[in-house]
Amino acid sequence: MSSVSSQTQFRYAQPPSKVLHLRNLPWECTEEELIELGKPFGKVINTKCNVGANRNQAFIEFADLNQAIAMISYYASSSEPAQVRGKTVYLQYSNRQEIVHNKTTGDVAGNVLLVTIEGVGARDVSIDVLHLVFSAFGFVHKIATFEKTAGFQVLVQFSDSETASAAKEALDGRSIPRYLLPEHVSTCTLRITFSGHTDLTVKFQSHRSRDYTNPNLPVASSAMDGSGQFIAGFDAKKQEPESNVLLASIENMQYPVTVDVLHMVFSTFGPVQKIAMFEKNGGFQALIQYPDVQTAVVAKEALEGHCIYDGGFCKLHLSYSRHTDLSVKVNNDRSRDYTIPDTSIGMLNTQPSILGQQPGPMMGPAAVPHYGGAHPFALAGNGIMGGVPAVPGYAGVSHQTMPPMSMQLPNNTYMPPPPGAMPPAMGPGMMQFPSQSGQQPPGTAMPSYRQ
DNA sequence: AGCACA
C-alpha cells in the first residue's frame, strides 16, 4: 500500500495512451480490419488481435498519442459507434503504453505442438487415437499428455517445425472424429499452439506418454502416477516380444477380407512387404509383414480391436508373429509379396474388379510424409466404438492418390464418400471424415465454430 | 462488454 491512491481513477477511465484497447470485436477479427478502423485518425504502427479469453479483444497502437486521442474523442461524440463488420466495437485507452507481442510461445513455429483438447471427457481420448491423428502429418516422435488448469493437454513432437506447422494448420480448431472417441466423450476440439519444447523427455511408455523413437523404452507398469484410472490396458500387452510381422485374427468375418483390403488397411502405417492369409481352426488369420518392428508396433497399437467394417464386422486382433520374413511363393488371393517389382501388375490383373486401386508400397506414411499421414484414419478407431468404416482419403488428401478403398463390398453400410464430400480445403471446425454411417449424424460431426 | 498465458 503506497500513495498511489492520490491518483484515484475511475475503474475504466484510463489516462491517454497511444495504445487503444478494443473489445466486442467480431470473431477472428484481422489485423487489416483494425488498421482500417484506425487509419482515419493516424498511423497504426502495431496491432494485436484475438486477445482475451473470447479472443474478441484487440489493441491498436498509433504512432502518436494525439492520433489515439483523436480516435477516442471522435467516437466519444459520434452518433455512429466504431464498427467492424457491422459490429459495434468499444474503444478505450489501454492501460499500457505500447503493445507487447508475447511471442514466447504459441506463435513461434517449433517441432513440438501443445494441444489442448476441449470437450467433456477429453482426458479419455487415448494416446493411440492422438497418435493416429497426428501421424497423419508425419512421423510422430513422442507424445506426452498431462492435465493442467487449461484442461487436458498433449505435447506432440514431430521431426521438424514444418511438419508440426502442417499438423497445426490442418487440425487447429478441428475436432477428433466422433468414431475415434469413446461414447461418453463429447466432441473434442483441438486447440493447437507451438510449444517451446524441442525434445520431450519420455521415461516410460505409458497411458500418458509415448516415445515412438525408442521401442525399447521400459513400459511403465506400476510407475504410473497417482491419477490412476484404467491403467493396465495395453501397457501389459506391450510386453510381448515385438516383431515386424503381425498376426491378425479376424473375428466376425461376415464380409470378405481380401489381401487387398488388408494391404490397404495396413499400408496406412508403412509399406507392407508381404501378406499371407490362412484359415486356422475355423477362424481367419493373416500375417502382415513390415520392413521393421517399429512400423508393426505402430500398426498394432492403432489397429488392435478395430473393425474393418461398421457394425463390428471383421474385427482385428493383432499379435506379434514369431516370423520375421514370410515366404510367399506365389501371388494369389491368399498371399502376396509386394517386394517383387511387378507384383503390383499381377495383382491388378488378378483382382481388378474389386478395387482398381493402385497397390502400393508408396502409400506408407514414411514414404510420403505429408499426404501419407492421412491414412492413419483409414481404418481408424471405428472398431473402438463400432463406428464408421475405414475410408481413406479424408483430410484434404488428393483422391487421385487415394483411390476409393475396398469398401465397395456387399456391405452397403458404407460407400466411399462422394467426391465432393471431402474438399481439400476443409470447412471450419472439423476434420472431414465421412459421416455416412448412421451412427454419426452430420449435425454432431460438424459443429459450427463461426458465430 | 472491460487489458494481453498465470
Side-chain angles (χ1 to χ4, degrees), chain A residues 336-347:
Chain A
R336 208 62 61 77
D337 185 342
Y338 298 93
T339 63
I340 297 172
D342 51 6
T343 297
S344 54
I345 297 163
M347 176 178 141

Side-chain angles (χ1 to χ4, degrees), chain A residues 257-309:
Chain A
V257 173
T258 63
V259 171
D260 299 281
V261 168
L262 291 173
H263 182 258
M264 175 68 89
V265 167
F266 284 85
S267 290
T268 296
F269 304 92
V272 170
Q273 292 183 319
K274 300 175 186 177
I275 296 179
M277 299 180 68
F278 50 95
E279 257 179 283
K280 184 153 184 185
N281 16 311
F284 246 92
Q285 300 198 330
L287 290 162
I288 296 96
Q289 178 176 335
Y290 286 109
D292 55 86
V293 173
Q294 189 175 317
T295 308
V297 170
V298 171
K300 178 173 180 295
E301 288 268 336
L303 297 176
E304 170 55 38
H306 294 206
C307 301
I308 297 179
Y309 302 118

